[in-house]
Amino acid sequence: MINKLADSVAQALAGVKDGATVLIGGFGTAGIPGELIDGLIAHGARDLTVVNNNAGNADQGLAALLKAGQVRKIICSFPRQVDSYVFDDLYRSGKLELELVPQGNLAERLRAAGAGIGAFFCPTAYGTELAAGKETREINGKHYVLEYPIHGDVALVKAEKGDRWGNLTYRMSARNFGPVMATAAKTTIATVHEVVELGALDPEAIVTPGIYVTHVVKIDRTATQAGGFKKSA
């Protein structure tokens, strides 16, 4: 019987190794798998390469993982925000490596990994510092930069509902990078707020099919304040 439901976050994360490339869903604070990030901190895996749209907010979530000293490199589109002081301090002190990727390129490089595409040409970043050292080509009179897929060892995503086969649906903008990251990683771990019986999810509404999901962990709903952070107890 296929049953991808894990008893705990710790159980689901047990296989994450030092040096892993970890894809973490979320756009700003929407769809950040906070419980999985906290679990990764407790797990203790180090020397990680983290892929996310941002580089953390304040002292929570991804910023807490950076602050714990477990991340060697971050690949993201928007590393600097008003409250990205943890990233700023680590980067400026040379303790954290950054690969800056335009947002559309980031999404497409992840999608390419899941689709089995070896590389692709994209016009974004041509003629800028981001294209330095990369192959370029003129196609039909337009200049392009060769980009490679971003493969992950592990993807951490936040979904809304799931079943024991791993089929997932998302809630509104919390969907963001979750679906493409789930296809781009060897192991995908998803949190859900509701576990439903097989057949309860409309097949037409399933965003991430269970074939891409390794573990599903049920978590409680947590009230948040403005900005998406958990309310203080």
Side-chain angles (χ1 to χ4, degrees), residues 149-202:
I150 298 176
H151 296 272
D153 295 301
V154 183
L156 308 181
V157 302
K158 180 177 182 178
E160 179 70 11
K161 296 181 182 180
D163 58 32
R164 66 174 175 84
W165 281 0
N167 296 310
L168 304 175
T169 63
Y170 299 80
R171 183 179 184 275
M172 300 181 183
S173 62
R175 171 173 172 170
N176 53 70
F177 283 90
V180 290
M181 286 185 170
T183 68
K186 298 175 184 176
T187 297
T188 294
I189 303 168
T191 58
V192 298
H193 291 304
E194 185 179 350
V195 175
V196 301
E197 294 296 324
L198 293 180
L201 297 176
D202 180 352

mmCIF file of all heavy atoms in Angstrom, residues 149-202:
data_model
loop_
_atom_site.group_PDB
_atom_site.id
_atom_site.type_symbol
_atom_site.label_atom_id
_atom_site.label_comp_id
_atom_site.label_asym_id
_atom_site.label_seq_id
_atom_site.Cartn_x
_atom_site.Cartn_y
_atom_site.Cartn_z
ATOM 1 N N PRO A 149 19.630 24.015 -15.816
ATOM 2 C CA PRO A 149 18.620 23.690 -14.814
ATOM 3 C C PRO A 149 19.177 23.746 -13.392
ATOM 4 O O PRO A 149 20.385 23.609 -13.182
ATOM 5 C CB PRO A 149 18.204 22.257 -15.167
ATOM 6 C CG PRO A 149 18.640 22.057 -16.575
ATOM 7 C CD PRO A 149 19.858 22.896 -16.754
ATOM 8 N N ILE A 150 18.300 23.953 -12.448
ATOM 9 C CA ILE A 150 18.654 23.866 -11.028
ATOM 10 C C ILE A 150 18.005 22.610 -10.468
ATOM 11 O O ILE A 150 16.777 22.538 -10.320
ATOM 12 C CB ILE A 150 18.169 25.095 -10.243
ATOM 13 C CG1 ILE A 150 18.843 26.370 -10.765
ATOM 14 C CG2 ILE A 150 18.456 24.916 -8.754
ATOM 15 C CD1 ILE A 150 18.338 27.640 -10.107
ATOM 16 N N HIS A 151 18.814 21.619 -10.180
ATOM 17 C CA HIS A 151 18.325 20.371 -9.594
ATOM 18 C C HIS A 151 18.477 20.413 -8.075
ATOM 19 O O HIS A 151 19.456 20.954 -7.557
ATOM 20 C CB HIS A 151 19.118 19.175 -10.136
ATOM 21 C CG HIS A 151 18.952 18.949 -11.611
ATOM 22 N ND1 HIS A 151 17.938 18.170 -12.122
ATOM 23 C CD2 HIS A 151 19.656 19.406 -12.674
ATOM 24 C CE1 HIS A 151 18.041 18.143 -13.451
ATOM 25 N NE2 HIS A 151 19.065 18.887 -13.808
ATOM 26 N N GLY A 152 17.525 19.857 -7.376
ATOM 27 C CA GLY A 152 17.604 19.816 -5.920
ATOM 28 C C GLY A 152 17.703 18.398 -5.402
ATOM 29 O O GLY A 152 17.185 17.462 -6.010
ATOM 30 N N ASP A 153 18.386 18.250 -4.290
ATOM 31 C CA ASP A 153 18.364 16.962 -3.589
ATOM 32 C C ASP A 153 17.054 16.828 -2.827
ATOM 33 O O ASP A 153 16.471 15.748 -2.755
ATOM 34 C CB ASP A 153 19.551 16.874 -2.611
ATOM 35 C CG ASP A 153 20.883 16.863 -3.323
ATOM 36 O OD1 ASP A 153 21.106 15.952 -4.147
ATOM 37 O OD2 ASP A 153 21.703 17.780 -3.082
ATOM 38 N N VAL A 154 16.609 17.960 -2.273
ATOM 39 C CA VAL A 154 15.382 17.976 -1.470
ATOM 40 C C VAL A 154 14.590 19.233 -1.798
ATOM 41 O O VAL A 154 15.169 20.303 -1.988
ATOM 42 C CB VAL A 154 15.697 17.977 0.047
ATOM 43 C CG1 VAL A 154 14.416 17.923 0.860
ATOM 44 C CG2 VAL A 154 16.613 16.818 0.417
ATOM 45 N N ALA A 155 13.275 19.106 -1.882
ATOM 46 C CA ALA A 155 12.390 20.266 -2.000
ATOM 47 C C ALA A 155 11.472 20.293 -0.788
ATOM 48 O O ALA A 155 10.909 19.262 -0.399
ATOM 49 C CB ALA A 155 11.561 20.205 -3.279
ATOM 50 N N LEU A 156 11.348 21.468 -0.187
ATOM 51 C CA LEU A 156 10.449 21.660 0.949
ATOM 52 C C LEU A 156 9.335 22.592 0.501
ATOM 53 O O LEU A 156 9.599 23.749 0.132
ATOM 54 C CB LEU A 156 11.195 22.273 2.140
ATOM 55 C CG LEU A 156 12.476 21.567 2.590
ATOM 56 C CD1 LEU A 156 13.077 22.293 3.798
ATOM 57 C CD2 LEU A 156 12.213 20.106 2.926
ATOM 58 N N VAL A 157 8.102 22.120 0.497
ATOM 59 C CA VAL A 157 6.993 22.935 0.006
ATOM 60 C C VAL A 157 5.831 22.922 0.998
ATOM 61 O O VAL A 157 5.664 21.980 1.776
ATOM 62 C CB VAL A 157 6.497 22.448 -1.380
ATOM 63 C CG1 VAL A 157 7.627 22.474 -2.388
ATOM 64 C CG2 VAL A 157 5.892 21.056 -1.296
ATOM 65 N N LYS A 158 5.054 23.974 0.931
ATOM 66 C CA LYS A 158 3.866 24.084 1.776
ATOM 67 C C LYS A 158 2.629 23.983 0.899
ATOM 68 O O LYS A 158 2.412 24.810 0.019
ATOM 69 C CB LYS A 158 3.867 25.420 2.525
ATOM 70 C CG LYS A 158 2.659 25.602 3.431
ATOM 71 C CD LYS A 158 2.746 26.905 4.195
ATOM 72 C CE LYS A 158 1.554 27.056 5.142
ATOM 73 N NZ LYS A 158 1.638 28.310 5.931
ATOM 74 N N ALA A 159 1.828 22.957 1.135
ATOM 75 C CA ALA A 159 0.589 22.772 0.388
ATOM 76 C C ALA A 159 -0.598 22.947 1.339
ATOM 77 O O ALA A 159 -0.434 23.167 2.541
ATOM 78 C CB ALA A 159 0.561 21.398 -0.263
ATOM 79 N N GLU A 160 -1.798 22.840 0.795
ATOM 80 C CA GLU A 160 -3.011 23.008 1.602
ATOM 81 C C GLU A 160 -3.626 21.673 1.971
ATOM 82 O O GLU A 160 -3.908 21.394 3.129
ATOM 83 C CB GLU A 160 -4.023 23.859 0.825
ATOM 84 C CG GLU A 160 -5.335 24.089 1.547
ATOM 85 C CD GLU A 160 -5.200 25.003 2.752
ATOM 86 O OE1 GLU A 160 -4.139 25.637 2.920
ATOM 87 O OE2 GLU A 160 -6.167 25.086 3.539
ATOM 88 N N LYS A 161 -3.825 20.817 0.961
ATOM 89 C CA LYS A 161 -4.420 19.494 1.184
ATOM 90 C C LYS A 161 -3.573 18.437 0.484
ATOM 91 O O LYS A 161 -2.910 18.703 -0.509
ATOM 92 C CB LYS A 161 -5.851 19.433 0.642
ATOM 93 C CG LYS A 161 -6.837 20.353 1.321
ATOM 94 C CD LYS A 161 -8.222 20.184 0.703
ATOM 95 C CE LYS A 161 -9.235 21.131 1.337
ATOM 96 N NZ LYS A 161 -10.577 20.958 0.729
ATOM 97 N N GLY A 162 -3.626 17.228 1.015
ATOM 98 C CA GLY A 162 -2.926 16.119 0.390
ATOM 99 C C GLY A 162 -3.550 14.805 0.791
ATOM 100 O O GLY A 162 -4.335 14.738 1.744
ATOM 101 N N ASP A 163 -3.213 13.741 0.054
ATOM 102 C CA ASP A 163 -3.668 12.401 0.431
ATOM 103 C C ASP A 163 -2.457 11.500 0.625
ATOM 104 O O ASP A 163 -1.312 11.932 0.455
ATOM 105 C CB ASP A 163 -4.642 11.841 -0.613
ATOM 106 C CG ASP A 163 -4.051 11.766 -2.015
ATOM 107 O OD1 ASP A 163 -2.832 11.559 -2.133
ATOM 108 O OD2 ASP A 163 -4.813 11.891 -2.996
ATOM 109 N N ARG A 164 -2.705 10.241 0.971
ATOM 110 C CA ARG A 164 -1.580 9.361 1.297
ATOM 111 C C ARG A 164 -0.743 8.985 0.081
ATOM 112 O O ARG A 164 0.351 8.454 0.226
ATOM 113 C CB ARG A 164 -2.081 8.104 2.023
ATOM 114 C CG ARG A 164 -2.964 7.167 1.210
ATOM 115 C CD ARG A 164 -3.251 5.902 2.027
ATOM 116 N NE ARG A 164 -4.178 5.007 1.357
ATOM 117 C CZ ARG A 164 -3.832 4.112 0.433
ATOM 118 N NH1 ARG A 164 -2.561 4.007 0.077
ATOM 119 N NH2 ARG A 164 -4.737 3.321 -0.118
ATOM 120 N N TRP A 165 -1.234 9.243 -1.095
ATOM 121 C CA TRP A 165 -0.431 9.028 -2.305
ATOM 122 C C TRP A 165 0.494 10.208 -2.595
ATOM 123 O O TRP A 165 1.342 10.128 -3.471
ATOM 124 C CB TRP A 165 -1.352 8.799 -3.511
ATOM 125 C CG TRP A 165 -1.907 7.409 -3.583
ATOM 126 C CD1 TRP A 165 -1.686 6.369 -2.709
ATOM 127 C CD2 TRP A 165 -2.786 6.901 -4.592
ATOM 128 N NE1 TRP A 165 -2.372 5.252 -3.104
ATOM 129 C CE2 TRP A 165 -3.056 5.545 -4.260
ATOM 130 C CE3 TRP A 165 -3.365 7.449 -5.721
ATOM 131 C CZ2 TRP A 165 -3.883 4.730 -5.034
ATOM 132 C CZ3 TRP A 165 -4.196 6.648 -6.497
ATOM 133 C CH2 TRP A 165 -4.446 5.303 -6.162
ATOM 134 N N GLY A 166 0.278 11.325 -1.890
ATOM 135 C CA GLY A 166 1.125 12.495 -2.092
ATOM 136 C C GLY A 166 0.562 13.529 -3.034
ATOM 137 O O GLY A 166 1.232 14.518 -3.344
ATOM 138 N N ASN A 167 -0.655 13.356 -3.520
ATOM 139 C CA ASN A 167 -1.279 14.370 -4.375
ATOM 140 C C ASN A 167 -1.521 15.634 -3.560
ATOM 141 O O ASN A 167 -1.988 15.565 -2.412
ATOM 142 C CB ASN A 167 -2.609 13.848 -4.929
ATOM 143 C CG ASN A 167 -2.425 12.649 -5.824
ATOM 144 O OD1 ASN A 167 -1.599 12.667 -6.727
ATOM 145 N ND2 ASN A 167 -3.183 11.587 -5.571
ATOM 146 N N LEU A 168 -1.228 16.802 -4.159
ATOM 147 C CA LEU A 168 -1.292 18.051 -3.408
ATOM 148 C C LEU A 168 -2.126 19.119 -4.108
ATOM 149 O O LEU A 168 -2.137 19.213 -5.338
ATOM 150 C CB LEU A 168 0.115 18.630 -3.210
ATOM 151 C CG LEU A 168 1.171 17.752 -2.547
ATOM 152 C CD1 LEU A 168 2.518 18.484 -2.558
ATOM 153 C CD2 LEU A 168 0.768 17.382 -1.124
ATOM 154 N N THR A 169 -2.798 19.936 -3.296
ATOM 155 C CA THR A 169 -3.392 21.187 -3.760
ATOM 156 C C THR A 169 -2.833 22.303 -2.886
ATOM 157 O O THR A 169 -2.344 22.051 -1.780
ATOM 158 C CB THR A 169 -4.929 21.191 -3.669
ATOM 159 O OG1 THR A 169 -5.312 21.057 -2.291
ATOM 160 C CG2 THR A 169 -5.524 20.056 -4.475
ATOM 161 N N TYR A 170 -2.910 23.528 -3.395
ATOM 162 C CA TYR A 170 -2.330 24.666 -2.688
ATOM 163 C C TYR A 170 -3.388 25.722 -2.410
ATOM 164 O O TYR A 170 -4.476 25.696 -2.981
ATOM 165 C CB TYR A 170 -1.201 25.294 -3.519
ATOM 166 C CG TYR A 170 -0.051 24.347 -3.806
ATOM 167 C CD1 TYR A 170 -0.145 23.408 -4.835
ATOM 168 C CD2 TYR A 170 1.113 24.395 -3.056
ATOM 169 C CE1 TYR A 170 0.901 22.534 -5.104
ATOM 170 C CE2 TYR A 170 2.170 23.535 -3.320
ATOM 171 C CZ TYR A 170 2.058 22.605 -4.348
ATOM 172 O OH TYR A 170 3.096 21.737 -4.614
ATOM 173 N N ARG A 171 -3.030 26.677 -1.563
ATOM 174 C CA ARG A 171 -3.952 27.771 -1.249
ATOM 175 C C ARG A 171 -3.459 29.071 -1.884
ATOM 176 O O ARG A 171 -2.450 29.636 -1.478
ATOM 177 C CB ARG A 171 -4.078 27.971 0.260
ATOM 178 C CG ARG A 171 -5.090 29.061 0.634
ATOM 179 C CD ARG A 171 -5.202 29.225 2.145
ATOM 180 N NE ARG A 171 -6.233 30.203 2.471
ATOM 181 C CZ ARG A 171 -6.041 31.522 2.514
ATOM 182 N NH1 ARG A 171 -4.839 32.016 2.243
ATOM 183 N NH2 ARG A 171 -7.034 32.330 2.814
ATOM 184 N N MET A 172 -4.154 29.498 -2.919
ATOM 185 C CA MET A 172 -3.931 30.796 -3.541
ATOM 186 C C MET A 172 -2.450 31.052 -3.819
ATOM 187 O O MET A 172 -1.752 30.239 -4.408
ATOM 188 C CB MET A 172 -4.555 31.898 -2.678
ATOM 189 C CG MET A 172 -6.064 31.721 -2.501
ATOM 190 S SD MET A 172 -6.786 33.049 -1.520
ATOM 191 C CE MET A 172 -8.471 32.495 -1.421
ATOM 192 N N SER A 173 -1.923 32.212 -3.371
ATOM 193 C CA SER A 173 -0.551 32.593 -3.704
ATOM 194 C C SER A 173 0.497 31.758 -2.982
ATOM 195 O O SER A 173 1.686 31.829 -3.306
ATOM 196 C CB SER A 173 -0.321 34.079 -3.399
ATOM 197 O OG SER A 173 -0.503 34.346 -2.022
ATOM 198 N N ALA A 174 0.084 30.941 -2.019
ATOM 199 C CA ALA A 174 1.034 30.045 -1.351
ATOM 200 C C ALA A 174 1.548 28.976 -2.316
ATOM 201 O O ALA A 174 2.524 28.294 -2.027
ATOM 202 C CB ALA A 174 0.381 29.381 -0.142
ATOM 203 N N ARG A 175 0.906 28.876 -3.455
ATOM 204 C CA ARG A 175 1.319 27.899 -4.467
ATOM 205 C C ARG A 175 2.690 28.248 -5.060
ATOM 206 O O ARG A 175 3.543 27.388 -5.181
ATOM 207 C CB ARG A 175 0.254 27.868 -5.566
ATOM 208 C CG ARG A 175 0.594 27.090 -6.798
ATOM 209 C CD ARG A 175 -0.642 27.043 -7.686
ATOM 210 N NE ARG A 175 -0.380 26.460 -8.996
ATOM 211 C CZ ARG A 175 -1.329 26.130 -9.864
ATOM 212 N NH1 ARG A 175 -2.591 26.313 -9.552
ATOM 213 N NH2 ARG A 175 -1.024 25.596 -11.024
ATOM 214 N N ASN A 176 2.906 29.464 -5.446
ATOM 215 C CA ASN A 176 4.113 30.019 -6.069
ATOM 216 C C ASN A 176 5.135 28.998 -6.596
ATOM 217 O O ASN A 176 4.881 28.322 -7.576
ATOM 218 C CB ASN A 176 4.747 31.077 -5.154
ATOM 219 C CG ASN A 176 5.011 30.623 -3.749
ATOM 220 O OD1 ASN A 176 5.884 29.811 -3.498
ATOM 221 N ND2 ASN A 176 4.248 31.168 -2.800
ATOM 222 N N PHE A 177 6.293 28.865 -5.962
ATOM 223 C CA PHE A 177 7.351 28.012 -6.495
ATOM 224 C C PHE A 177 7.186 26.523 -6.137
ATOM 225 O O PHE A 177 7.942 25.686 -6.626
ATOM 226 C CB PHE A 177 8.714 28.485 -5.979
ATOM 227 C CG PHE A 177 9.238 29.705 -6.669
ATOM 228 C CD1 PHE A 177 8.929 30.969 -6.187
ATOM 229 C CD2 PHE A 177 10.027 29.603 -7.804
ATOM 230 C CE1 PHE A 177 9.409 32.105 -6.817
ATOM 231 C CE2 PHE A 177 10.511 30.733 -8.446
ATOM 232 C CZ PHE A 177 10.200 31.987 -7.957
ATOM 233 N N GLY A 178 6.228 26.207 -5.284
ATOM 234 C CA GLY A 178 6.084 24.825 -4.827
ATOM 235 C C GLY A 178 5.979 23.791 -5.930
ATOM 236 O O GLY A 178 6.719 22.799 -5.922
ATOM 237 N N PRO A 179 5.094 23.956 -6.912
ATOM 238 C CA PRO A 179 4.926 22.938 -7.943
ATOM 239 C C PRO A 179 6.181 22.668 -8.772
ATOM 240 O O PRO A 179 6.505 21.510 -9.035
ATOM 241 C CB PRO A 179 3.796 23.513 -8.811
ATOM 242 C CG PRO A 179 3.002 24.362 -7.877
ATOM 243 C CD PRO A 179 4.027 24.986 -6.990
ATOM 244 N N VAL A 180 6.909 23.731 -9.192
ATOM 245 C CA VAL A 180 8.105 23.476 -10.010
ATOM 246 C C VAL A 180 9.227 22.891 -9.168
ATOM 247 O O VAL A 180 10.005 22.055 -9.644
ATOM 248 C CB VAL A 180 8.581 24.744 -10.748
ATOM 249 C CG1 VAL A 180 7.620 25.124 -11.837
ATOM 250 C CG2 VAL A 180 8.848 25.900 -9.804
ATOM 251 N N MET A 181 9.322 23.299 -7.919
ATOM 252 C CA MET A 181 10.362 22.745 -7.054
ATOM 253 C C MET A 181 10.113 21.271 -6.779
ATOM 254 O O MET A 181 11.058 20.474 -6.709
ATOM 255 C CB MET A 181 10.434 23.530 -5.742
ATOM 256 C CG MET A 181 11.068 24.893 -5.894
ATOM 257 S SD MET A 181 11.258 25.741 -4.310
ATOM 258 C CE MET A 181 12.285 27.139 -4.797
ATOM 259 N N ALA A 182 8.850 20.905 -6.633
ATOM 260 C CA ALA A 182 8.518 19.504 -6.374
ATOM 261 C C ALA A 182 8.978 18.600 -7.503
ATOM 262 O O ALA A 182 9.382 17.454 -7.281
ATOM 263 C CB ALA A 182 7.016 19.348 -6.156
ATOM 264 N N THR A 183 8.947 19.097 -8.736
ATOM 265 C CA THR A 183 9.366 18.282 -9.879
ATOM 266 C C THR A 183 10.874 18.270 -10.055
ATOM 267 O O THR A 183 11.416 17.403 -10.738
ATOM 268 C CB THR A 183 8.738 18.796 -11.192
ATOM 269 O OG1 THR A 183 9.295 20.071 -11.531
ATOM 270 C CG2 THR A 183 7.233 18.898 -11.074
ATOM 271 N N ALA A 184 11.569 19.245 -9.456
ATOM 272 C CA ALA A 184 13.003 19.420 -9.704
ATOM 273 C C ALA A 184 13.891 18.733 -8.682
ATOM 274 O O ALA A 184 15.122 18.766 -8.815
ATOM 275 C CB ALA A 184 13.346 20.910 -9.741
ATOM 276 N N ALA A 185 13.313 18.113 -7.661
ATOM 277 C CA ALA A 185 14.107 17.523 -6.587
ATOM 278 C C ALA A 185 13.995 15.997 -6.562
ATOM 279 O O ALA A 185 12.993 15.419 -6.987
ATOM 280 C CB ALA A 185 13.667 18.086 -5.236
ATOM 281 N N LYS A 186 15.049 15.374 -6.048
ATOM 282 C CA LYS A 186 15.035 13.916 -5.883
ATOM 283 C C LYS A 186 14.041 13.507 -4.805
ATOM 284 O O LYS A 186 13.383 12.466 -4.912
ATOM 285 C CB LYS A 186 16.434 13.420 -5.518
ATOM 286 C CG LYS A 186 17.493 13.677 -6.567
ATOM 287 C CD LYS A 186 18.867 13.268 -6.056
ATOM 288 C CE LYS A 186 19.955 13.604 -7.074
ATOM 289 N NZ LYS A 186 21.308 13.304 -6.552
ATOM 290 N N THR A 187 13.947 14.316 -3.763
ATOM 291 C CA THR A 187 13.032 14.055 -2.650
ATOM 292 C C THR A 187 12.212 15.302 -2.385
ATOM 293 O O THR A 187 12.774 16.393 -2.254
ATOM 294 C CB THR A 187 13.816 13.691 -1.366
ATOM 295 O OG1 THR A 187 14.545 12.489 -1.576
ATOM 296 C CG2 THR A 187 12.869 13.517 -0.182
ATOM 297 N N THR A 188 10.894 15.164 -2.339
ATOM 298 C CA THR A 188 10.023 16.302 -2.046
ATOM 299 C C THR A 188 9.244 16.029 -0.769
ATOM 300 O O THR A 188 8.608 14.983 -0.624
ATOM 301 C CB THR A 188 9.046 16.577 -3.198
ATOM 302 O OG1 THR A 188 9.785 16.994 -4.344
ATOM 303 C CG2 THR A 188 8.057 17.665 -2.827
ATOM 304 N N ILE A 189 9.332 16.981 0.145
ATOM 305 C CA ILE A 189 8.619 16.883 1.418
ATOM 306 C C ILE A 189 7.621 18.027 1.480
ATOM 307 O O ILE A 189 7.984 19.189 1.293
ATOM 308 C CB ILE A 189 9.594 16.976 2.611
ATOM 309 C CG1 ILE A 189 10.665 15.879 2.504
ATOM 310 C CG2 ILE A 189 8.840 16.869 3.934
ATOM 311 C CD1 ILE A 189 11.824 16.056 3.469
ATOM 312 N N ALA A 190 6.367 17.700 1.718
ATOM 313 C CA ALA A 190 5.315 18.718 1.734
ATOM 314 C C ALA A 190 4.568 18.699 3.051
ATOM 315 O O ALA A 190 4.264 17.629 3.593
ATOM 316 C CB ALA A 190 4.331 18.484 0.587
ATOM 317 N N THR A 191 4.272 19.891 3.564
ATOM 318 C CA THR A 191 3.351 19.980 4.690
ATOM 319 C C THR A 191 1.966 20.290 4.147
ATOM 320 O O THR A 191 1.821 20.965 3.128
ATOM 321 C CB THR A 191 3.755 21.090 5.685
ATOM 322 O OG1 THR A 191 3.809 22.350 5.016
ATOM 323 C CG2 THR A 191 5.102 20.777 6.317
ATOM 324 N N VAL A 192 0.948 19.772 4.826
ATOM 325 C CA VAL A 192 -0.437 20.061 4.466
ATOM 326 C C VAL A 192 -1.221 20.343 5.736
ATOM 327 O O VAL A 192 -0.862 19.877 6.816
ATOM 328 C CB VAL A 192 -1.102 18.880 3.709
ATOM 329 C CG1 VAL A 192 -0.391 18.610 2.394
ATOM 330 C CG2 VAL A 192 -1.121 17.622 4.575
ATOM 331 N N HIS A 193 -2.286 21.105 5.600
ATOM 332 C CA HIS A 193 -3.142 21.377 6.745
ATOM 333 C C HIS A 193 -4.269 20.353 6.856
ATOM 334 O O HIS A 193 -4.900 20.241 7.902
ATOM 335 C CB HIS A 193 -3.743 22.779 6.627
ATOM 336 C CG HIS A 193 -2.735 23.876 6.795
ATOM 337 N ND1 HIS A 193 -1.938 23.999 7.905
ATOM 338 C CD2 HIS A 193 -2.391 24.897 5.968
ATOM 339 C CE1 HIS A 193 -1.152 25.043 7.777
ATOM 340 N NE2 HIS A 193 -1.396 25.604 6.610
ATOM 341 N N GLU A 194 -4.484 19.628 5.775
ATOM 342 C CA GLU A 194 -5.574 18.655 5.784
ATOM 343 C C GLU A 194 -5.188 17.434 4.966
ATOM 344 O O GLU A 194 -4.754 17.552 3.827
ATOM 345 C CB GLU A 194 -6.845 19.289 5.223
ATOM 346 C CG GLU A 194 -8.072 18.391 5.294
ATOM 347 C CD GLU A 194 -9.320 19.080 4.757
ATOM 348 O OE1 GLU A 194 -9.282 20.297 4.509
ATOM 349 O OE2 GLU A 194 -10.331 18.374 4.577
ATOM 350 N N VAL A 195 -5.330 16.266 5.557
ATOM 351 C CA VAL A 195 -5.123 15.004 4.839
ATOM 352 C C VAL A 195 -6.495 14.438 4.504
ATOM 353 O O VAL A 195 -7.340 14.253 5.388
ATOM 354 C CB VAL A 195 -4.337 13.987 5.689
ATOM 355 C CG1 VAL A 195 -4.245 12.659 4.967
ATOM 356 C CG2 VAL A 195 -2.940 14.522 5.990
ATOM 357 N N VAL A 196 -6.738 14.178 3.227
ATOM 358 C CA VAL A 196 -8.037 13.704 2.784
ATOM 359 C C VAL A 196 -7.938 12.271 2.266
ATOM 360 O O VAL A 196 -6.850 11.775 1.972
ATOM 361 C CB VAL A 196 -8.619 14.620 1.685
ATOM 362 C CG1 VAL A 196 -8.770 16.034 2.209
ATOM 363 C CG2 VAL A 196 -7.733 14.607 0.436
ATOM 364 N N GLU A 197 -9.064 11.635 2.147
ATOM 365 C CA GLU A 197 -9.106 10.266 1.638
ATOM 366 C C GLU A 197 -8.801 10.237 0.145
ATOM 367 O O GLU A 197 -9.016 11.223 -0.571
ATOM 368 C CB GLU A 197 -10.491 9.653 1.892
ATOM 369 C CG GLU A 197 -10.830 9.467 3.364
ATOM 370 C CD GLU A 197 -9.913 8.473 4.042
ATOM 371 O OE1 GLU A 197 -9.515 7.472 3.376
ATOM 372 O OE2 GLU A 197 -9.587 8.687 5.231
ATOM 373 N N LEU A 198 -8.304 9.119 -0.319
ATOM 374 C CA LEU A 198 -8.058 8.962 -1.747
ATOM 375 C C LEU A 198 -9.349 9.190 -2.521
ATOM 376 O O LEU A 198 -10.412 8.682 -2.146
ATOM 377 C CB LEU A 198 -7.521 7.566 -2.049
ATOM 378 C CG LEU A 198 -6.125 7.230 -1.512
ATOM 379 C CD1 LEU A 198 -5.748 5.810 -1.898
ATOM 380 C CD2 LEU A 198 -5.086 8.201 -2.047
ATOM 381 N N GLY A 199 -9.268 9.972 -3.582
ATOM 382 C CA GLY A 199 -10.442 10.268 -4.390
ATOM 383 C C GLY A 199 -11.175 11.520 -3.977
ATOM 384 O O GLY A 199 -12.040 12.001 -4.712
ATOM 385 N N ALA A 200 -10.817 12.070 -2.805
ATOM 386 C CA ALA A 200 -11.505 13.283 -2.340
ATOM 387 C C ALA A 200 -11.043 14.522 -3.094
ATOM 388 O O ALA A 200 -11.790 15.495 -3.203
ATOM 389 C CB ALA A 200 -11.276 13.467 -0.843
ATOM 390 N N LEU A 201 -9.813 14.479 -3.620
ATOM 391 C CA LEU A 201 -9.308 15.608 -4.399
ATOM 392 C C LEU A 201 -9.743 15.448 -5.851
ATOM 393 O O LEU A 201 -9.523 14.401 -6.458
ATOM 394 C CB LEU A 201 -7.782 15.670 -4.326
ATOM 395 C CG LEU A 201 -7.161 15.909 -2.944
ATOM 396 C CD1 LEU A 201 -5.635 15.850 -3.042
ATOM 397 C CD2 LEU A 201 -7.595 17.252 -2.375
ATOM 398 N N ASP A 202 -10.355 16.483 -6.377
ATOM 399 C CA ASP A 202 -10.746 16.474 -7.781
ATOM 400 C C ASP A 202 -9.479 16.351 -8.629
ATOM 401 O O ASP A 202 -8.570 17.170 -8.511
ATOM 402 C CB ASP A 202 -11.472 17.772 -8.114
ATOM 403 C CG ASP A 202 -11.930 17.850 -9.565
ATOM 404 O OD1 ASP A 202 -11.559 16.965 -10.364
ATOM 405 O OD2 ASP A 202 -12.653 18.806 -9.890
#
